[in-house]
Each structure stands twice: as structure tokens, then as C-alpha cells.
Amino acid sequence: MSHPLQMSCNINSSTSTGRPRGPAASCVSAARGRAARGTVGPRGARGAGRPPAPPTARADGCEPVGARDPHGSPPPLLQERLGHHLLEVMPTESGSCSTARQAKQKRKSHSLSIRRTNSSEQERTGLPREMLEGQDSKLPSSVRSTLLELFGQIEREFENLYIENLELRREIETLNERLAAEGQAIDGAELSKGQLKTKASHSTSQLSQKLKTTYKASTSKIVSSFKTTTSRAVCQLVKEYIGHRDGIWDVSVARTQPVVLGTASADHTALLWSIETGRCLVKYSGHVGSVNSIKFHPSEQLALTASGDQTAHIWRYAVQLPTPQPVADTTQICGEDEVECSDKDEPDVDADVSSDCPTIRVPLTSLKSHQGVVIAADWLVGGKQAVTASWDRTANLFDVETAELVHSLTGHDQELTHCCTHPTQRLVVTSSRDTTFRLWDFRDPSIHSVNVFQGHTDTVTSAVFTVGDNVVSGSDDRTVKVWDLRNMRSPIATIRTDSAINRINVCVGQKIIALPHDNRQVRLFDMSGVRLARLPRSSRQGHRRMVCCSAWSEDHPMCNLFTCGFDRQAIGWNINIPALLQEK
């Protein structure tokens, strides 16, 4: 049997380390479990509501089982046997067993409250270990020790942050006192959390404003330098051609005298216009679907139109040009800042614009073989054959005189979007939604070779020929690529823009590409990818909706570029090409 002094020392030593063992540890663990479940009793009443089981007598006359107090006090029988030892060790206590138990409980409660307040670093680091050891864990001892070390590191990190926070607060107080001495202190002895937040946000806003000012200044310099290079490139809006009742898909210029402008519209009609006066000369209404494209014969007064009614029509026209009228001066500098305008601000369509002009209702020839919308059509060199492109994924080559199908060009995986012929050779290029365009060679009657150009990541909206062996393609992936027919692996130039590109056209003599965009802009680039100009657009002039197509007319003295869009109008422009090339 242990000496009472030794027992008392053991109890105190276990308490000082913050890691109680035996019954006291089990009581702490049970109390924490009840706290997690929300069933803990009054503070200090450990085990409240669960009275200890009555001691049971033993046959050998020794102290009964469970006689020891759960808080570590000796049982009454043991106190009676060793009373003189207890009096020597603890002379301040009475001989009463109940009084001794109360004193012991008081000391133990005090030691437990000390542990709960985490008065020392050793007790704080021992808290997670105590929790782990007090629970029935299946983790290996090495894992448990690693977790304890990590918990200790986390606690030290938080302690460092707390100390740093205190130092910052002291610095803030020092600065506040200095400001108060200078008469600039904020009301109150200390800066509240909201005031600190306000000052921090104010400082942040000042820094943000400085960054914005610097960014605007740098970008303004870039824009100013860019505008300087195009200041002498005058782009003049000459004439607006208004008369269609729906969006205009395509625009083209006649290659023979008299030179007229042709437009194809979703209102099922095609109109021929006087370039000088803007007056409608001829109306073709032979289609029963949207008219998607229009092209003029290279030597005769014939027009070729493609339609959503799955046919292409060839029709003859005869026009007499009216007397030209003076043109109002609407000169503007290229690169003018864009002014936003609503889609509702569309030109008013006069109901009698096309009613006074002659109307053609029956085609000369109807080309029928497609099973889907005919999206485009063009004349081969010489004008004896025509090619059509359709949403049925095929392009067909027809004989104009007999309207017979000569060749069916298959190979595209999705709908075709455009077709174009070479001005001097029997070459055809077709573009498709399958992100490719194909070159068809009919120069050798016995061999019809096909070359596939892959370089875009979205629908190829158009591909057109230029002088020499180059092809220019535009796509919905917002890029335009210039290709060499002798090297199809990669483009020789790439133009990147900010909007999808529709049917492009190239000024053959000066090699200038006109790019119509979905975002209502029209931009001019050279073949090497250098941007030359942007056509002016404001609330008073320019397109108000998507620009669908562009067409050059190099020899016309009045208008050398035409554009059309879904704002139901076509526009004639005069581009000062020498100024563009000079600034290049």
C-alpha cells in the first residue's frame, strides 16, 4: 500500500502536466463527449445526473470495489486506517471524511479550470493530444504523433499571426496619435474596424485610379499613333441604296456597260440599282425563297441568282441609266470613333421604291438539281458554265445553254456557305461549315483534282481568288487567312479580328481586302495582314446591323466599294486607295 504522501504527490503531479490519467481523465473525456452532444450539466458538476454505483462488499474483508472516489479521494475506510498519516501530511484538514472529500474536489476543480483556460503553451499543445488519447482511436501511434505535431505547428502559426496583428494595431495607434498631434486625427482615440476598412478602400481606390489613368494614357498614345497613320486615308460615304423589305445577303457590280449595282435580299427579290442616283432600275421576283447571292455575266447583261427555293436562276435585264444628280459631301476620316445606335434606327423603306421600276418574274434558265438551299452561285470564266453551292453539301457545275448538270462536286462534310470562280482560269473554290474550303481544278477536262485547305477552327464563310496564285478565306473564327495555291500546308498571312467575318472581297488591282463583320464594322487590310482603315460608322451613317457582304468596283469614278447588311440597305463608298497605300 502506497504512503498517503506519495499518493498526494502523484495526484498533484498528474494535474500539473495538464494530462490527467485514470478516473480523472475518463471524467474529462466524458464531459467533452456530453458537450459535443449538448448534454453537459452545470460547470464543475462532472458526472451530474449519474450518481456513482453503491460499493459492493468483498468476501476477503478488503476495501469494497468502487469505494475510491471518482475524483481521486481515498475511500473512507482507507482514511480511517491511515488517519494519523493524513494528519501529518495535511494538518489543515479535519478528520472528517466528508470534509476531506470536499477539499479534494475543490482542489481538483481548480486544477481542471486551470487546464481549461490553457494558461501555458504546454497545456495548449497538450489539448489535441489529450483529445486523441481520451478517445478510442484506431490510428497507429506514428500517425497520431504526426497529427499532434501538425496541430502544434498550426497553433504556432496562429500565435504568430496574433502577435503580428497586435504589433500592427500598436503601429496604427502610434500613427493615429501622430495624426492627432498634427490636427488630422480621426474622431475617436482608436481607429475602429469600419474606419480602417474605409481608409483601406480609399487607398485601394486611389491606387486603382492611378493604374487606370496610366493605362488610359498608354493606350491613348497607341490609338493616337494609329489614327495618325490613317488620318489622310479619306473614306467617303457616297450613296445609300434603300428599297428592300428585309436583310440584304449579297451585293455585286456589273462587269459590262451599263455598270449597275445588284443586291440579293431575304425578301425574295433581287434589285438592280443606278450607282450614281441610288434609284432602283429593275426588280427580279422569280424566286419563291430568299435570294442569297447575285453575280453578273462577264460579257452579257445576264444575272445569276441563288435562292432558298433550291434553285438558281439566270435572267436577262435591260436598263437605261438616269441622269446623275449632285452628291452631297459626307466626307469623314477613317477611324472615326464609333457611336452606338439601336437596331431600331433602320432606314425607312419607301413602299413605292421598287414598284415604279420594271419587274422580271420569269427566268431565262432555271438550274435545278439540289436537295437543299442554294446559298451561292457564280459564273466560270467565259460565262458558258455556272457553279452552285448548296446546303445539301454539294456544289454543281451546270451548262448555261442546256441547264444540264455537268459535274457534282462532293466531299464536304457539312453545308456549303460560298463558292467563287477564278477570273481567268477554270478554278472553283467552295467553302463549308466543316471548317475547310476546297479547290476544284477543271483546267484539264480529263482530270478534276481537288485540294483541301485546313486552317480555320470554325465555319469558313467565304473564300475568294486574287491575282496570281493566292486565295483569301474568311471564317467565323474571326480570322482571315491568305493562302498560296502552291503551298497548302499553312497560310502565308493571318489577320485576327474581334468579330466573325462574312463574305469578303479583294480589290484585285491594289490587293486590298474588305472585311464585313457581324459587329457592323467594315475593315480594310492589305494582303500581308496590315490594317489600313475602318469605314466610318455613327448614328448618322454606316451600317446599323450585321454587314453581310462587300464588293469592289475599281474602275468606277464615284464608288469603288459597296457593302450590304441586315439593316436592309446597301452603301456605296469612295476609298482613297492611293492615300491608304501611301500611309502603308
Side-chain angles (χ1 to χ4, degrees):
M1 181 175 294
S2 301
H3 195 274
L5 179 60
Q6 184 179 358
M7 292 175 61
S8 177
C9 293
N10 291 339
I11 293 173
N12 294 332
S13 63
S14 64
T15 304
S16 62
T17 58
R19 294 171 56 190
R21 301 184 181 276
S26 62
C27 289
V28 173
S29 177
R32 285 175 180 158
R34 289 195 300 274
R37 295 190 299 269
T39 59
V40 67
R43 186 173 181 178
R46 294 174 297 174
R50 283 181 65 183
T56 57
R58 293 186 57 175
D60 54 3
C62 299
E63 60 181 272
V65 178
R68 178 175 291 275
D69 186 86
H71 303 293
S73 301
L77 181 59
L78 185 60
Q79 289 181 1
E80 185 179 354
R81 292 179 181 179
L82 304 176
H84 63 283
H85 297 293
L86 291 173
L87 290 175
E88 293 177 1
V89 176
M90 294 174 289
T92 57
E93 296 183 0
S94 64
S96 174
C97 296
S98 60
T99 305
R101 270 200 303 272
Q102 290 177 1
K104 285 286 185 178
Q105 289 179 2
K106 194 171 184 179
R107 286 196 298 272
K108 293 295 291 182
S109 299
H110 178 67
S111 63
L112 182 60
S113 63
I114 293 176
R115 287 198 300 273
R116 285 179 178 175
T117 55
N118 297 328
S119 60
S120 66
E121 182 179 359
Q122 182 178 4
E123 290 171 353
R124 288 198 304 271
T125 57
L127 182 60
R129 188 185 301 274
E130 185 178 294
M131 293 176 61
L132 289 175
E133 291 182 355
Q135 297 177 357
D136 187 11
S137 175
K138 297 182 181 180
L139 294 176
S141 59
S142 59
V143 176
R144 297 174 65 185
S145 60
T146 304
L147 289 175
L148 292 175
E149 293 177 1
L150 294 176
F151 288 148
Q153 293 178 8
I154 293 173
E155 184 178 8
R156 286 192 291 273
E157 290 292 334
F158 274 105
E159 187 174 3
N160 293 335
L161 291 176
Y162 179 73
I163 294 173
E164 185 178 357
N165 189 16
L166 292 178
E167 293 177 355
L168 291 175
R169 285 183 178 274
R170 283 195 293 269
E171 291 181 5
I172 291 173
E173 292 175 359
T174 303
L175 293 174
N176 190 33
E177 292 174 0
R178 186 178 303 174
L179 290 174
E182 297 175 0
Q184 300 177 0
I186 300 176
D187 295 338
E190 295 182 357
L191 291 175
S192 65
K193 202 176 209 179
Q195 290 171 334
L196 289 174
K197 187 174 181 181
T198 303
K199 287 182 68 65
S201 62
H202 180 64
S203 303
T204 304
S205 62
Q206 287 182 344
L207 179 60
S208 176
Q209 186 64 31
K210 289 181 180 179
L211 291 175
K212 288 180 180 179
T213 305
T214 306
Y215 175 75
K216 287 182 179 179
S218 60
T219 52
S220 298
K221 292 180 181 178
I222 296 175
V223 174
S224 299
S225 62
F226 176 76
K227 288 184 177 180
T228 302
T229 60
T230 60
S231 60
R232 285 182 287 175
V234 179
C235 303
Q236 181 180 2
L237 189 152
V238 179
K239 185 65 67 175
E240 295 179 343
Y241 306 90
I242 302 174
H244 281 291
R245 298 180 178 275
D246 208 337
I248 304 176
W249 289 115
D250 200 15
V251 62
S252 181
V253 182
R255 297 185 241 179
T256 60
Q257 295 294 333
V259 179
V260 295
L261 178 70
T263 55
S265 172
D267 63 4
H268 301 187
T269 66
L271 300 181
L272 302 186
W273 305 83
S274 168
I275 296 177
E276 292 80 6
T277 64
R279 177 181 172 185
C280 179
L281 304 176
V282 173
K283 175 182 178 180
Y284 180 74
S285 60
H287 288 290
V288 294
S290 171
V291 184
N292 301 319
S293 77
I294 181 170
K295 288 292 183 292
F296 290 97
H297 193 275
S299 58
E300 300 182 28
Q301 292 187 358
L302 294 175
L304 172 65
T305 53
S307 174
D309 59 9
Q310 304 182 6
T311 65
H313 290 179
I314 299 173
W315 42 280
R316 187 177 296 276
Y317 63 91
V319 295
Q320 183 177 0
L321 297 180
T323 303
Q325 298 177 355
V327 179
D329 186 12
T330 56
T331 303
Q332 279 206 344
I333 303 300
C334 290
E336 176 186 344
D337 293 338
E338 178 182 350
V339 178
E340 292 295 333
C341 55
S342 173
D343 290 343
K344 297 180 180 180
D345 299 334
E346 296 181 359
D348 296 331
V349 178
D350 188 355
D352 299 328
V353 166
S354 60
S355 60
D356 296 338
C357 63
T359 301
I360 302 173
R361 293 182 174 86
V362 180
L364 186 65
T365 304
S366 180
L367 307 178
K368 301 177 181 179
S369 66
H370 287 291
Q371 303 301 317
V373 170
V374 182
I375 195 66
D378 201 358
W379 304 88
L380 262 71
V381 58
K384 294 183 179 180
Q385 291 180 328
V387 63
T388 57
S390 173
W391 282 4
D392 62 7
R393 306 182 184 182
T394 65
N396 292 339
L397 185 64
F398 291 93
D399 183 272
V400 173
E401 292 185 2
T402 62
E404 292 180 357
L405 177 64
V406 178
H407 293 291
S408 182
L409 312 178
T410 61
H412 283 290
D413 296 331
Q414 295 189 36
E415 296 89 341
L416 273 66
T417 58
H418 191 253
C419 67
C420 181
T421 60
H422 196 279
T424 60
Q425 303 182 58
R426 290 177 57 82
L427 298 174
V428 177
V429 62
T430 57
S431 51
S432 170
R433 292 185 60 189
D434 61 8
T435 72
T436 69
F437 66 94
R438 294 177 178 242
L439 174 66
W440 312 84
D441 190 350
F442 298 101
R443 290 175 292 186
D444 189 347
S446 60
I447 302 176
H448 302 147
S449 62
V450 180
N451 296 320
V452 181
F453 291 77
Q454 298 177 341
H456 290 286
T457 59
D458 206 337
T459 298
V460 181
T461 54
S462 63
V464 298
F465 289 100
T466 64
V467 173
D469 297 323
N470 292 335
V471 174
V472 182
S473 60
S475 171
D476 279 343
D477 63 5
R478 304 180 181 181
T479 65
V480 172
K481 297 179 184 290
V482 182
W483 306 79
D484 190 342
L485 297 181
R486 295 165 296 185
N487 182 14
M488 303 175 297
R489 295 183 178 179
S490 60
I492 60 178
T494 300
I495 302 170
R496 304 186 185 278
T497 66
D498 60 350
S499 179
I501 299 159
N502 298 310
R503 293 180 177 178
I504 62 178
N505 196 256
V506 180
C507 178
V508 177
Q510 305 296 337
K511 296 184 178 180
I512 300 176
I513 312 170
L515 310 183
H517 291 282
D518 276 358
N519 64 357
R520 302 171 286 183
Q521 300 290 345
V522 180
R523 295 185 174 93
L524 305 181
F525 287 81
D526 66 4
M527 295 288 290
S528 61
V530 177
R531 175 175 166 174
L532 302 177
R534 175 173 63 86
L535 300 190
R537 197 189 74 82
S538 66
S539 59
R540 299 182 304 275
Q541 65 174 356
H543 288 287
R544 296 167 175 84
R545 298 189 68 178
M546 175 181 70
V547 188
C548 299
C549 181
S550 61
W552 288 94
S553 178
E554 302 178 47
D555 300 329
H556 199 279
M558 182 177 173
C559 300
N560 54 3
L561 177 63
F562 298 90
T563 58
C564 66
F566 244 65
D567 53 1
R568 307 178 187 179
Q569 68 173 341
I571 299 178
W573 306 85
N574 183 272
I575 310 300
N576 192 344
I577 296 178
L580 287 178
L581 300 179
Q582 183 178 359
E583 292 298 335
K584 176 182 174 182

